[in-house]
Amino acid sequence: EITSLLSLCGGQFSSEQEIHVNSPFWILSIPSEEMARGLMKRTVCAKSIFELWGHGRSAGELYASLKNYPIDKMLPYLQSDSTYKVHIHTFNKTLTQAQKIKKIDALEFLPFKGKVNLKNPEHIFWILEDYGMDPNNVPEEPFHLYFGRWIADGQRELIESYSVKKRHFIGNTSMDACLSFIMANHGRVKPNDVVYDPFVGTGGLLISSAHFGAYVCGTDIDYNTIHGLGKASRKNQKWRGPDENIRANLRQYGLEKYYLDALVSDSSRPIWRKGMLFDAIITDPPYGIREATRRTGSQKETVKTAERSTENHIFVSSSYHLSDIFFDLLKFAAEYLVMGGRLVYWLPIYRPEYTEEIIPRHPCLKLISNCEQMLSSHTSRRLITMEKVKEFKDQDQNSYLLDGQYTPYRGHNSFREKYFSGVTKRIAKEEKDNQK
């Protein structure tokens, strides 16, 4: 998330960051405080950002580093007519109040001229100490110490204010608010973008993109979900109410002006005019566990189900293999994303059999990141982020990476189809076992 936002807002990881790979504290190189604030207006993963004045592997190194920090950069925040306070944050260790005061007093060599104000200071300074990641083996002294001026906090309060529990319209698989915002940040969604979700469901992923000022739209094959009809997913509610729909969700958060529309459509069938239409495609495809994987069929095809909605809307659907879903998704993104636009989606995996080869590829899309969310000891899902780096041409219509080479897609005979069928069965079995 941070890497994506740095590429959007400006900045990069410091060359020193390699030293602190397993640390909760990261050092970034950001050109201005304004850009740092812009970064923190987006992130839900980072807690706070500071202007780093000094750091070291010991207290002595920290003090020496602070003494070498340019005095002209310090003085604007240490004036006699200003107020300040100093916080101490320790990761993986708890200090007594006496220990904290001792560490603060040790900074008396800094030219503080203002008055201490613990309730409403103009400037806040932090001492950050890293005692490692192992709670069973906490060292006496920290591995690394930092001192800096607080600039801004992240957007973690969005997780609570956009909680699915408080949302007007939800489904069985509505995306968690935190993950939804992380996905929007991976997609580098910005104001006036057009963001599309081909498996929109109840529109949870549209909300986070609209929060960042993007215009949102989506499609779904489920007529009842798009129109807010049928059985409710909320506990103690049998049927959905008259105003339970995606538009009502966006209205709930004051984001209705960013809502373009949601269409009943099969993602495997082309309905859009040719051309680059979307700045980002952010989606959570169905895995066939709690949400069925299906596409429209014809009477000539093997009919799986025939369903009738409350509005007498009849359609015929056939099975939609998981490997086909991802192939169609990548092909669609390659054709309809703008150059530099991003595709962000979840890929279910069975961990004992997982290899990098399983990740679907396309010649027009570059893999940017691959992050794992653990579901159980054996299953997880990976948040895949891809960026369009090549214009889509006719020869890319059916290209698919197999054994390191782009070849025409082989459909159900491919090893991916067998793998994903196995993944679905294993995850479904684990869910049933957990319910028991």
Side-chain angles (χ1 to χ4, degrees):
E1 187 207 39
I2 299 297
T3 304
S4 295
L5 291 176
L6 286 174
S7 67
L8 181 65
C9 302
Q12 60 186 13
F13 281 98
S14 167
S15 57
E16 299 178 52
Q17 184 56 46
E18 295 178 13
I19 306 169
H20 314 298
V21 171
N22 294 320
S23 170
F25 304 108
W26 292 351
I27 300 177
L28 308 178
S29 298
I30 300 178
S32 69
E33 186 172 318
E34 182 183 358
M35 286 186 178
R37 292 183 186 278
L39 172 71
M40 300 310 286
K41 285 180 181 177
R42 295 288 305 259
T43 176
V44 292
C45 289
K47 186 174 182 181
S48 304
I49 194 165
F50 309 88
E51 181 183 62
L52 186 63
W53 286 16
H55 64 102
R57 295 183 180 276
S58 65
E61 281 189 20
L62 171 64
Y63 303 151
S65 178
L66 283 170
K67 289 172 183 176
N68 289 328
Y69 191 73
I71 192 70
D72 58 311
K73 291 186 178 180
M74 289 186 182
L75 288 179
Y77 310 103
L78 308 177
Q79 296 298 317
S80 58
D81 58 348
S82 66
T83 58
Y84 72 95
K85 72 174 177 179
V86 180
H87 268 302
I88 292 186
H89 175 77
T90 54
F91 186 84
N92 200 28
K93 189 169 185 176
T94 302
L95 300 180
T96 65
Q97 190 63 24
Q99 288 173 315
K100 290 180 180 180
I101 292 173
K102 184 178 178 181
K103 289 176 181 289
I104 292 172
D105 288 342
L107 297 173
E108 61 183 2
F109 63 87
L110 291 175
F112 287 106
K113 296 178 182 178
K115 294 181 179 180
V116 173
N117 184 332
L118 299 180
K119 291 186 177 180
N120 189 26
E122 290 179 58
H123 310 298
I124 305 173
F125 301 92
W126 286 70
I127 300 171
L128 307 169
E129 297 186 347
D130 179 8
Y131 286 86
M133 308 288 279
D134 184 0
N136 299 316
N137 187 23
V138 181
E140 282 297 317
E141 297 297 326
F143 294 125
H144 216 94
L145 300 92
Y146 308 84
F147 180 86
R149 178 178 64 89
W150 175 82
I151 295 176
D153 288 334
Q155 302 299 307
R156 286 180 147 174
E157 71 277 1
L158 293 178
I159 299 170
E160 179 62 27
S161 57
Y162 282 87
S163 172
V164 174
K165 295 178 182 178
K166 303 174 184 177
R167 195 166 296 168
H168 184 63
F169 177 47
I170 62 170
N172 293 332
T173 55
S174 291
M175 183 62 65
D176 171 79
C178 179
L179 295 177
S180 180
F181 280 104
I182 289 173
M183 292 177 75
N185 285 330
H186 273 242
R188 298 194 301 190
V189 173
K190 57 187 183 299
N192 298 320
D193 277 357
V194 177
V195 177
Y196 172 66
D197 183 353
F199 304 96
V200 70
T202 56
L205 296 178
L206 302 187
I207 292 170
S208 55
S209 295
H211 174 83
F212 293 132
Y215 294 93
V216 295
C217 58
T219 58
D220 202 287
I221 196 172
D222 192 324
Y223 180 93
N224 286 350
T225 300
I226 290 292
H227 290 278
L229 304 171
K231 291 184 179 180
S233 299
R234 203 179 301 276
K235 189 178 180 182
N236 300 324
Q237 182 182 340
K238 190 171 183 180
W239 300 99
R240 289 180 176 135
D243 192 34
E244 286 193 49
N245 51 53
I246 296 172
R247 183 185 292 276
N249 275 352
L250 287 148
R251 188 186 304 127
Q252 177 183 353
Y253 300 112
L255 302 171
E256 188 177 2
K257 65 180 179 180
Y258 296 113
Y259 181 55
L260 298 178
D261 210 343
L263 311 175
V264 179
S265 171
D266 178 0
S267 64
S268 69
R269 308 286 182 179
I271 64 167
W272 303 96
R273 63 173 173 81
K274 297 295 181 182
M276 297 182 289
L277 303 176
F278 307 113
D279 297 284
I281 296 172
I282 299 175
T283 192
D284 181 28
Y287 313 142
I289 302 159
R290 284 184 291 171
E291 296 288 348
T293 57
R294 60 188 186 182
R295 58 181 166 187
T296 53
S298 68
Q299 298 298 340
K300 295 180 181 179
E301 295 176 350
T302 304
V303 175
K304 185 180 179 183
T305 58
E307 301 187 9
R308 183 184 298 270
S309 81
T310 53
E311 294 291 323
N312 295 324
H313 176 80
I314 302 171
F315 66 88
V316 177
S317 65
S318 58
S319 61
Y320 194 10
H321 291 272
L322 208 54
S323 58
D324 289 342
I325 289 178
F326 296 122
F327 168 69
D328 289 340
L329 178 61
L330 264 64
K331 183 174 69 172
F332 181 88
E335 185 170 1
Y336 290 100
L337 276 176
V338 301
M339 193 60 64
R342 288 195 169 186
L343 166 67
V344 184
Y345 70 96
W346 289 100
L347 181 76
I349 64 146
Y350 182 63
R351 301 184 77 234
E353 296 178 7
Y354 169 76
T355 66
E356 289 285 332
E357 288 183 336
I358 295 301
I359 300 171
R361 304 291 181 93
H362 192 281
C364 295
L365 302 172
K366 176 185 176 183
L367 180 65
I368 298 297
S369 67
N370 172 8
C371 309
E372 185 178 27
Q373 182 196 20
M374 296 281 292
L375 301 176
S376 72
S377 59
H378 291 88
T379 61
S380 67
R381 59 179 180 176
R382 290 185 172 263
L383 183 59
I384 306 297
T385 303
M386 309 185 89
E387 186 173 313
K388 185 172 179 179
V389 294
K390 175 177 172 283
E391 284 199 24
F392 183 85
K393 296 181 180 177
D394 290 340
Q395 58 263 38
D396 299 319
Q397 185 70 23
N398 292 309
S399 293
Y400 203 74
L401 185 67
L402 188 64
D403 300 328
Q405 302 229 343
Y406 286 104
T407 60
Y409 181 60
R410 299 178 187 175
H412 303 320
N413 294 323
S414 72
F415 78 101
R416 283 190 183 85
E417 191 277 325
K418 296 175 183 176
Y419 173 83
F420 286 123
S421 293
V423 167
T424 302
K425 291 175 183 176
R426 289 184 180 97
I427 295 177
K429 183 179 182 301
E430 287 206 9
E431 283 204 351
K432 287 180 180 178
D433 292 343
N434 289 338
Q435 287 173 357
K436 289 178 183 178

